[in-house]
Amino acid sequence: MVQRSLHEKLRVAILFGGRSGEHDVSIASAMSVIDTLNRQRYDPLPVYLDQQGNWIPHTTPHNAQKGIIGSATDPFPLLAHQTDIAFPVLHGTHGEDGAIQGLLEMMDVPYVGPGVVASATGMDKAVFKQIMQAHGFPILPWILVTSKQLSDSADRVVERIEAAVSYPVFTKPANLGSSVGISRCNNQTELIAGLEEACCYDHRIVVEQGIRPRELEIAILGNDDPQASTIGEIRPKAAFYSYAAKYVSDDSELLIPAPLDVQLAQQAQKLAIDAYRAIDCAGMARVDLFLSLTDDQLYVNEINTIPGFTEISMYPQLWTASGIGYSELLDQLIALGLERHHEKKTLKRTYQYAPTI
Ligand SMILES: Nc1ncnc2c1ncn2[C@@H]1O[C@H](COP(=O)(O)OP(=O)(O)O)[C@@H](O)[C@H]1O
Ligand SMILES: [Mg+2]
């Protein structure tokens, strides 16, 4: 990392774009982050990661959107010599799954947001559920199916699913986001179609009990002492919060705060913090819960370790509603990233074995 005097601004590399289905969402998020970063304290360095995996510094999200792209560079000197802290504003594959976090760890560059384990766990719906189960946190009944099992014997797979969950069920690729490849299946024919669709995106598929949920979202901020924001609620107009509902016909209703009684709200916030800690999150995450309309039960649905960051995204909006404005939120996230990096620096990286006689 670059050494600089206390009075110089921190150079923040905003990494955006990426080889992911959520490339365009990332551009929109990065636009807001760069526009909001306090210029008195930070020097933002936009770094566009294109769909082919090239790293292109000094290309702003506005330019990336217009197709005005600079020239690619080697990411290593860029991170090592021009960056005090990296802010991966990347969603999905390679950005939110621990890959970029691993690269930054290797290069000893501080970064905003959760580390490798939390990112990878948050991204993998099956591993995430297993960890929630191990902690005894409430999740919906589910089973894991592989594409190999499906090609060996679809009948056996369907039998196993129907013994574990009842229709409607949701079929989800284990490692994806933004509702891509997710189907709501009301019967066996739809189940087979849903499994085939999910198989296009991953060889591991989560099949989950469908319910009629209220969808609650809670923003968490912090390292060792994470805090929960006020609770938000999404009311999709469509049958579920699909890709189209999220990004195409943006007519879902967003309620902040979610109308909930105080006790239930506190229970939801505690569950969100517990889940955050369970996967070793640091910095930030948005924890999504379901509240079943039939029995008022809370369920952990998922954790997004790099949530949407546009001004109208839930994560910054929840903090604004909780008294932390967008710019101050970015200050805190950067401070938390630096703090985590500093703590790691104090760890011993060598071991001298000294036998006791
Ligand atoms: N078990 C379920 N019951 C009812 N609706 C669900 C269930 N699972 C997912 N959904 C709907 O599908 C959406 C996307 O599912 P989710 O697991 O959050 O995947 P993603 O990571 O793509 O956001 C949810 O926001 C919700 O609207
Ligand atoms: Mg979701």
Side-chain angles (χ1 to χ4, degrees):
M1 203 196 16
V2 208
Q3 294 298 322
R4 54 186 69 246
S5 90
L6 281 175
H7 302 287
E8 269 183 274
K9 295 181 196 176
L10 275 183
R11 283 204 267 193
V12 185
I14 316 289
L15 314 178
F16 70 98
R19 271 185 295 164
S20 135
E22 289 158 289
H23 183 94
D24 295 347
V25 187
S26 161
I27 294 179
S29 288
M31 224 179 265
S32 297
V33 170
I34 292 173
D35 286 350
T36 315
L37 262 188
N38 181 347
R39 294 296 192 280
Q40 317 243 283
R41 304 174 73 158
Y42 313 109
D43 233 345
L45 166 63
V47 184
Y48 175 55
L49 279 67
D50 74 9
Q51 310 258 30
Q52 287 70 47
N54 297 305
W55 289 55
I56 306 164
H58 307 292
T59 292
T60 63
H62 290 274
N63 282 347
Q65 215 173 32
K66 285 191 238 147
I68 307 167
I69 313 282
S71 44
T73 190
D74 179 352
F76 292 90
L78 181 76
L79 293 171
H81 305 305
Q82 293 186 48
T83 303
D84 291 307
I85 183 162
F87 191 159
V89 189
L90 294 159
H91 308 302
T93 321
H94 294 149
E96 202 172 345
D97 60 3
I100 193 92
Q101 291 76 11
L103 178 68
L104 294 164
E105 290 282 345
M106 294 286 294
M107 300 208 57
D108 203 17
V109 174
Y111 56 91
V112 169
V116 174
V117 168
S119 304
T121 309
M123 188 76 192
D124 190 299
K125 291 185 195 308
V127 171
F128 177 73
K129 283 179 190 299
Q130 282 155 352
I131 292 183
M132 293 299 106
Q133 267 169 329
H135 282 266
F137 299 153
I139 59 163
L140 288 165
W142 71 289
I143 64 164
L144 181 64
V145 168
T146 65
S147 47
K148 171 82 170 57
Q149 291 165 349
L150 208 56
S151 59
D152 284 352
S153 168
D155 287 350
R156 211 167 321 135
V157 167
V158 168
E159 210 174 284
R160 210 155 55 80
I161 291 171
E162 289 180 344
V165 289
S166 49
Y167 295 109
V169 301
F170 278 76
T171 43
K172 310 181 180 183
N175 263 285
L176 223 69
S178 286
S179 302
V180 173
I182 295 186
S183 310
R184 182 178 191 273
C185 319
N186 293 302
N187 51 50
Q188 209 178 84
T189 316
E190 289 179 14
L191 172 64
I192 290 162
L195 290 169
E196 278 168 4
E197 165 81 1
C199 273
C200 299
Y201 298 98
D202 203 338
H203 60 275
R204 287 158 70 246
I205 299 140
V206 163
V207 183
E208 188 181 301
Q209 179 63 61
I211 57 165
R212 282 202 311 127
R214 280 179 68 187
E215 302 201 38
L216 308 179
E217 302 195 344
I218 304 171
I220 310 286
L221 177 67
N223 289 346
D224 294 308
D225 185 22
Q227 304 296 311
S229 70
T230 192
I231 302 173
E233 178 170 0
I234 305 265
R235 294 205 179 151
K237 287 273 185 296
F240 72 95
Y241 203 29
S242 60
Y243 185 93
K246 283 177 182 172
Y247 307 117
V248 183
S249 66
D250 205 4
D251 58 357
S252 299
E253 224 184 315
L254 205 144
L255 304 176
I256 301 176
L260 292 172
D261 76 53
V262 180
Q263 223 182 342
L264 190 62
Q266 283 171 351
Q267 200 189 330
Q269 284 167 320
K270 180 175 181 313
L271 182 57
I273 291 175
D274 288 346
Y276 181 92
R277 283 188 195 280
I279 67 163
D280 191 31
C281 265
M284 64 174 169
R286 199 193 70 224
V287 181
D288 296 350
L289 306 177
F290 286 153
L291 176 63
S292 165
L293 280 165
T294 38
D295 58 6
D296 258 0
Q297 270 293 311
L298 283 170
Y299 296 97
V300 181
N301 175 32
E302 61 164 343
I303 296 189
N304 292 285
T305 50
I306 307 187
F309 253 97
T310 69
E311 269 135 61
I312 57 156
S313 296
M314 194 59 123
Y315 188 85
Q317 280 214 58
L318 286 174
W319 282 118
T320 302
S322 311
I324 302 177
Y326 196 145
S327 177
E328 188 192 340
L329 176 64
L330 298 179
D331 291 347
Q332 291 204 26
L333 286 169
I334 290 169
L336 288 164
L338 293 170
E339 178 190 287
R340 189 35 60 110
H341 184 257
H342 180 72
E343 281 166 7
K344 280 189 191 147
K345 283 291 217 197
T346 63
L347 298 175
K348 265 186 159 180
R349 296 288 184 205
T350 55
Y351 176 62
Q352 211 81 57
Y353 177 61
T356 47
I357 308 154

